[in-house]
Amino acid sequence: MTNSIKKIAILFFSVVCIPFAYGQKEFYNNNKFKQLDEELPTPNVYRTGSGAPGAEYWQQKADYVIEASIDEKLHRLNGKETVTYFNNSPETLTYLWIQLDQNMRATDSDTYKIRQNKIKKGTNINQLAAIDGFPEYDGGHKIQKVTTADGQDLKYTINKTMMRIDLPTPLKSGENFAFKIDWYYNINDRLLMGGRGGYETFAEDGNTIYTITQWFPRMAVYDDFNGWQHKQFLGNGEFALTFGDYDVKITVPSDHIVASTGELQNPDDVLTATEKQRFEEAKKSDKPVVIVTQKEAEKKEKTQASDTKTWHYKAENVRDFAFGSSRKFIWDAMGVDINGKTVMAMSYYPKEANPLYGQYSTEAVAHTLEVYSKYTIDYPYPVAISVEASNGMEYPMICFNYGRPEKDGTYSPRIKYGMISVIIHEVGHNFFPMIVNSDERQWTWMDEGLNTFCQYLAEQEWEDGYPSRRGPAENIVPYMKGEKDNITPIMTNSESLKQFGNNAYGKPATALNILRETIMGRELFDYAFKEYAQRWAFKHPKPADFYRTMEDASAVDLDWFWRGWFYTTEAVDISIKNVIVKELDTQDPKAESAKQKAERDNQPKQITTIHNEEEKLVTRVEKRPELKDFYNSYDPLDPNIEDFDNYKKYQSQLNKKDKAWLASKHFVYQVDFENVGGLVMPIIIELQFEDGSSEKKYIPAEIWKMDDTVVSKVFVTEKEVTQFVLDPNRETADIDTENNYYPRKPEVSRFKLYKSGANQPRTYDSGRLNPMQKAKKNKK
């Protein structure tokens, strides 16, 4: 073996073999600022490295013609549909996948099988029925037949919540295929069984509100990223859906009002002359106009018609279709100007929701359209509807919300603001994911998180001091500081999230708010966020498309942020580890000697010295002065001639600027910061001065690039600092604020002193009456 070969062999062994023998740690880059290249998919002709759709981006289309009817006695929906599927992909398809979401409610559903259960002392019959999958309820889509457009039977296979239709001939690129499905399903009792849709019957008058959702067999998404998205529907992961045009006829009892996705095509057949007149007035009104009054709805509640009417709606370029139906509905509407286009903001609600819904719902719809359009894209659809149905769920142009006051018409602030928030949130879903059409079955945060962030913006523009639940950084702290075993990264599949609300709603919304307010700034963030919405409106974005667009449109490298906030469960906890005061050595022998002597004299005395002084001990040298010599009067801190000569030489080398700086008073502090939580973030520190003033300094997160555990920063001030405070405005979600102060502040907690004995005061239950009820009581 030659020497050169020996050298290569030794190098290979030391670089490759030894690390393999002792683990891979040497090979893996654990730097917090490592780029996301390995985690993100490689850009291609469909999705570019900038985050924009590529030159050859494509997506499928599915048009629906549906006829449906509700049997109010059986609580059953009967339907038949014709689906025309357009293959815009470059591939040839031999089968199609259809979503049968109602099968999640079949008694043999995996949803019930995988759900963990525990029996509690207070378990009731309904809870036991839920554990058992509600065996008395015959749930699920009942497929009657599947045929071609001309009536030829098609072979199909149902796999739980998915149905595969085998095509008679391969569907080539650019071709379309039409097929028909007839089905029915038994509508679930939503208050008993839960769920996004169903029915609610009011015991007081025997009438029902239907919220019909996930009700028809729907095309699954086929795209460039996954092929078919046919993950089974287990309940949490919502919906990946294909855009298309809808022509839907809905037959219901004749005294019902139908609120629906789309525009009404036959108002002359289903509305009275008065209702049509009021609707026309509402188009030009800047305040809600009542189209069906409470008095009119109450009259219908007592009669309950037995004949039917058919409502005909059409919707273009939507990914889904939903509707609500009831004779209980009060209906109001108003026109909203969205960049020169009138959009009808409307609300449908039972009398049980008044006066809250009548006062706030349609106003909240209009407000949402205006604010979201400002930050994303102009709302493109003709209507936006809020239906009060004691829940919260979203569909194109329509959503179902809660908001019922007490029977006396009063309500708590929790109900009021909760109602306004849920309306903003569910109407806001029109933008995410109904228009910016992300894959909810895979990534809940891409619709819920982005929408919750925009909800926060809209809430803060509703009124000063709005009590937003999610968005402010400090509100996510309890989740971030929780047990790591009970937390999952944001980048986790929808069905595997441990804390659904915190993970998919709260944390991503907070992260975006921190990006906007603290890291990027509003101008850069708003531009990039709007660019994302415009690029991916009516398309199917993935996480990488969002990450890349936000960076591409802002020139801000955010890989460290996505990695920390979205891919890990680390928390923000930056501590002021230490502060060192650095005094300038003026080299003036006289001045420096005085400083050094003062420091020496201020040193604490030894305990022996203290006790000797207390005993007034007289030393031997004090008794015999003749023992003293030079060193008894010598002070090593006294300046000498050599010190003064050196000072003169130093002074001669200084220019005017140097001398002016020395003449002014400066304070120099070295502050050591420790990253305790693991999540790197900007360092925001406030310097509080002895004169009561303060100064806030912003240090970008990149200060942690070379060392993500401890970093140091020197601050030079003209005033003495009395307190250093990290993150003074609580904008980074720091989970431990006690170590944010230097010097440390004592923790303060309160306690009450009660009189000893049996007559201790009772705790007042403030929840018995809401503030409005208390105010009424006080007036009396």
Side-chain angles (χ1 to χ4, degrees):
M1 183 181 294
T2 63
N3 289 336
S4 59
I5 294 177
K6 286 181 180 179
K7 290 179 181 178
I8 294 174
I10 292 171
L11 181 63
F12 176 84
F13 182 80
S14 62
V15 174
V16 179
C17 299
I18 292 177
F20 266 104
Y22 292 94
Q24 294 285 338
K25 190 172 182 180
E26 293 84 347
F27 276 82
Y28 190 75
N29 180 1
N30 288 309
N31 189 281
K32 304 284 187 183
F33 291 85
K34 178 188 175 185
Q35 297 296 286
L36 277 177
D37 294 353
E38 295 176 10
E39 284 78 8
L40 302 184
T42 303
N44 53 42
V45 294
Y46 309 125
R47 299 170 190 273
T48 68
S50 69
E56 298 182 29
Y57 175 83
W58 56 268
Q59 64 188 39
Q60 309 290 64
K61 186 174 187 283
D63 293 342
Y64 297 82
V65 177
I66 306 176
E67 294 181 14
S69 62
I70 290 179
D71 187 324
E72 194 171 23
K73 291 183 179 179
L74 296 177
H75 295 310
R76 175 175 291 180
L77 184 138
N78 300 291
K80 57 182 180 179
E81 66 183 18
T82 299
V83 184
T84 304
Y85 187 73
F86 297 84
N87 182 15
N88 298 321
S89 77
E91 286 89 33
T92 297
L93 304 178
T94 56
Y95 49 79
L96 307 177
W97 280 101
I98 313 295
Q99 302 185 64
L100 303 178
D101 298 306
Q102 287 298 323
N103 285 1
M104 187 269 286
R105 299 199 171 279
T107 53
D108 63 346
S109 165
D110 284 353
T111 301
Y112 299 118
K113 293 176 183 176
I114 68 173
R115 187 175 292 163
Q116 296 189 45
N117 313 117
K118 291 183 178 179
I119 297 294
K120 300 179 180 178
K121 290 182 178 180
T123 300
N124 58 40
I125 294 176
N126 289 341
Q127 290 169 331
L128 289 173
I131 291 171
D132 214 14
F134 298 98
E136 296 182 2
Y137 166 69
D138 184 17
H141 274 110
K142 313 298 183 183
I143 303 299
Q144 302 301 291
K145 62 179 179 179
V146 181
T147 68
T148 61
D150 58 4
Q152 300 298 311
D153 288 342
L154 283 171
K155 183 181 178 182
Y156 64 91
T157 301
I158 295 177
N159 177 16
K160 300 173 185 176
T161 61
M162 291 289 169
M163 178 171 72
R164 190 189 70 235
I165 296 178
D166 297 336
L167 297 173
T169 58
L171 184 62
K172 296 180 180 178
S173 176
E175 295 181 344
N176 65 75
F177 177 72
F179 59 95
K180 296 182 176 181
I181 304 177
D182 290 4
W183 83 96
Y184 75 88
Y185 75 92
N186 296 309
I187 304 170
N188 59 294
D189 182 338
R190 187 171 48 76
L191 295 190
L192 171 65
M193 301 176 64
R196 295 165 175 81
Y199 71 86
E200 175 187 1
T201 298
F202 290 72
E204 294 83 356
D205 54 47
N207 291 291
T208 299
I209 290 178
Y210 290 96
T211 53
I212 306 301
T213 68
Q214 290 84 253
W215 56 285
F216 61 97
R218 306 180 293 179
M219 289 301 308
V221 168
Y222 183 82
D223 65 19
D224 62 283
F225 195 83
N226 295 303
W228 287 107
Q229 170 51 291
H230 46 29
K231 289 183 180 293
Q232 294 291 337
F233 178 45
L234 297 175
N236 280 337
E238 288 179 354
F239 313 108
L241 298 166
T242 302
F243 284 110
D245 300 333
Y246 286 74
D247 186 328
V248 182
K249 293 178 180 177
I250 306 163
T251 300
V252 295
S254 62
D255 55 357
H256 274 217
I257 295 291
V258 174
S260 176
T261 299
E263 287 186 287
L264 183 62
Q265 302 297 301
N266 61 337
D268 294 339
D269 298 334
V270 294
L271 301 181
T272 67
T274 301
E275 289 165 353
K276 288 190 293 182
Q277 179 185 347
R278 292 169 179 167
F279 186 80
E280 291 303 315
E281 292 175 8
K283 289 181 180 178
K284 301 175 183 178
S285 176
D286 62 353
K287 293 183 179 179
V289 172
V290 179
I291 299 167
V292 176
T293 68
Q294 180 166 329
K295 185 176 181 180
E296 291 164 344
E298 288 175 341
K299 183 178 180 180
K300 290 190 291 184
E301 287 178 349
K302 297 173 183 177
T303 57
Q304 298 190 2
S306 57
D307 57 338
T308 62
K309 283 184 180 178
T310 298
W311 297 63
H312 185 193
Y313 282 92
K314 286 186 178 180
E316 295 181 354
N317 205 18
V318 294
R319 67 170 228 159
D320 200 1
F321 196 100
F323 67 93
S325 180
S326 180
R327 63 179 57 87
K328 292 179 68 66
F329 280 154
I330 303 163
W331 175 16
D332 68 44
M334 64 183 284
V336 184
D337 183 356
I338 302 296
N339 200 18
K341 173 186 173 184
T342 299
V343 176
M344 295 305 294
M346 303 195 290
S347 296
Y348 299 75
Y349 45 98
K351 64 180 184 294
E352 287 79 4
N354 258 340
L356 263 177
Y357 244 69
Q359 182 173 359
Y360 290 115
S361 177
T362 298
E363 289 282 2
V365 174
H367 178 71
T368 305
L369 298 181
E370 292 170 352
V371 175
Y372 276 63
S373 295
K374 178 173 65 174
Y375 290 110
T376 60
I377 64 168
D378 289 347
Y379 184 73
Y381 294 130
V383 300
I385 297 169
S386 167
V387 178
E388 202 292 321
S390 191
N391 66 345
M393 189 58 197
E394 71 280 357
Y395 301 89
M397 303 186 222
I398 187 171
C399 58
F400 306 102
N401 310 302
Y402 73 83
R404 296 177 192 172
E406 303 291 340
K407 290 185 178 181
D408 64 1
T410 66
Y411 46 86
S412 66
R414 182 181 66 85
I415 291 296
K416 172 190 172 180
Y417 290 107
M419 181 199 73
I420 294 171
S421 289
V422 77
I423 292 172
I424 292 173
H425 182 89
E426 306 304 346
V427 173
H429 270 306
N430 277 290
F431 296 83
F432 306 99
M434 302 304 159
I435 297 170
V436 182
N437 189 10
S438 58
D439 180 356
E440 299 176 85
R441 187 62 52 86
Q442 180 64 37
W443 306 115
T444 299
W445 71 266
M446 286 197 74
D447 73 293
E448 297 294 0
L450 270 61
N451 183 46
T452 302
F453 163 70
C454 291
Q455 172 192 339
Y456 175 64
L457 298 180
E459 287 172 346
Q460 295 306 303
E461 293 192 29
W462 177 269
E463 70 178 45
D464 289 337
Y466 190 98
S468 293
R469 180 184 173 198
R470 290 168 171 146
E474 60 187 318
N475 290 7
I476 201 66
V477 166
Y479 170 69
M480 299 284 280
K481 70 191 299 183
E483 293 293 332
K484 294 305 178 185
D485 290 343
N486 200 31
I487 298 176
T488 48
I490 291 175
M491 287 292 291
T492 301
N493 175 263
S494 301
E495 297 292 352
S496 301
L497 302 177
K498 292 186 177 180
Q499 296 188 49
F500 202 82
N502 284 320
N503 182 283
Y505 295 67
K507 187 178 177 182
T510 303
L512 295 181
N513 190 45
I514 290 173
L515 272 184
R516 183 174 188 256
E517 300 287 14
T518 300
I519 293 171
M520 298 175 70
R522 291 189 176 187
E523 183 178 0
L524 285 176
F525 179 93
D526 290 351
Y527 182 89
F529 192 75
K530 193 176 186 75
E531 180 69 16
Y532 168 72
Q534 292 175 338
R535 282 180 175 183
W536 289 99
F538 301 104
K539 295 182 178 66
H540 301 275
K542 306 298 179 185
D545 302 317
F546 176 66
Y547 301 150
R548 285 168 167 159
T549 295
M550 291 300 293
E551 296 190 22
D552 182 70
S554 66
V556 180
D557 183 358
L558 296 170
D559 281 20
W560 62 272
F561 186 83
W562 308 129
R563 181 180 297 283
W565 276 87
F566 285 71
Y567 286 84
T568 78
T569 59
E570 293 179 334
V572 181
D573 182 8
I574 301 174
S575 168
I576 302 179
K577 185 178 182 181
N578 191 33
V579 175
I580 302 173
V581 180
K582 299 283 188 176
E583 281 200 0
L584 177 69
D585 185 350
T586 63
Q587 300 189 41
D588 179 349
K590 194 172 183 180
E592 293 303 316
S593 174
K595 287 181 184 179
Q596 292 173 17
K597 287 182 178 181
E599 290 177 5
R600 180 188 61 191
D601 295 341
N602 287 329
Q603 290 295 316
K605 295 180 180 179
Q606 293 181 352
I607 188 65
T608 300
T609 302
I610 294 173
H611 288 166
N612 287 343
E613 290 177 351
E614 291 173 349
E615 292 180 2
K616 297 182 180 180
L617 177 70
V618 179
T619 66
R620 189 175 189 82
V621 170
E622 288 175 320
K623 294 176 183 177
R624 298 174 180 272
E626 66 272 16
L627 296 177
K628 293 182 179 180
D629 68 356
F630 170 82
Y631 290 103
N632 290 106
S633 59
Y634 169 72
D635 189 339
L637 295 181
D638 287 338
N640 54 45
I641 295 176
E642 185 179 2
D643 293 330
F644 285 105
D645 290 341
N646 289 335
Y647 180 59
K648 288 181 181 179
K649 292 178 182 178
Y650 168 69
Q651 284 282 308
S652 66
Q653 296 170 356
L654 299 177
N655 56 35
K656 290 183 179 180
K657 188 176 181 180
D658 297 331
K659 291 179 180 179
W661 196 91
L662 286 171
S664 62
K665 192 172 184 180
H666 288 85
F667 299 87
V668 182
Y669 303 93
Q670 176 187 311
V671 184
D672 300 330
F673 301 96
E674 183 177 11
N675 180 8
V676 180
L679 193 57
V680 294
M681 285 290 282
I683 295 174
I684 305 159
I685 187 164
E686 182 178 76
L687 282 59
Q688 298 177 355
F689 301 109
E690 60 178 345
D691 63 359
S693 63
S694 63
E695 180 182 3
K696 190 165 69 171
K697 294 181 179 291
Y698 177 94
I699 304 169
E702 283 75 8
I703 191 174
W704 302 98
K705 268 180 174 285
M706 298 303 175
D707 187 339
D708 57 36
T709 55
V710 177
V711 295
S712 300
K713 193 72 177 175
V714 172
F715 300 96
V716 181
T717 67
E718 294 182 354
K719 294 181 285 186
E720 185 176 358
V721 177
T722 57
Q723 183 84 65
F724 292 89
V725 183
L726 265 177
D727 194 11
N729 301 113
R730 306 289 176 87
E731 54 189 293
T732 67
D734 195 310
I735 66 171
D736 182 4
T737 57
E738 289 185 31
N739 59 22
N740 286 14
Y741 296 90
Y742 200 95
R744 296 284 189 257
K745 280 190 173 182
E747 186 178 0
V748 178
S749 63
R750 295 181 177 179
F751 69 93
K752 292 181 179 180
L753 183 63
Y754 291 135
K755 181 180 178 181
S756 60
N759 297 322
Q760 294 187 8
R762 293 182 179 179
T763 301
Y764 176 67
D765 182 9
S766 60
R768 291 177 182 173
L769 297 175
N770 67 52
M772 294 177 74
Q773 291 169 328
K774 291 177 186 177
K776 285 185 177 182
K777 187 175 180 181
N778 290 337
K779 284 184 179 180
K780 292 178 182 179

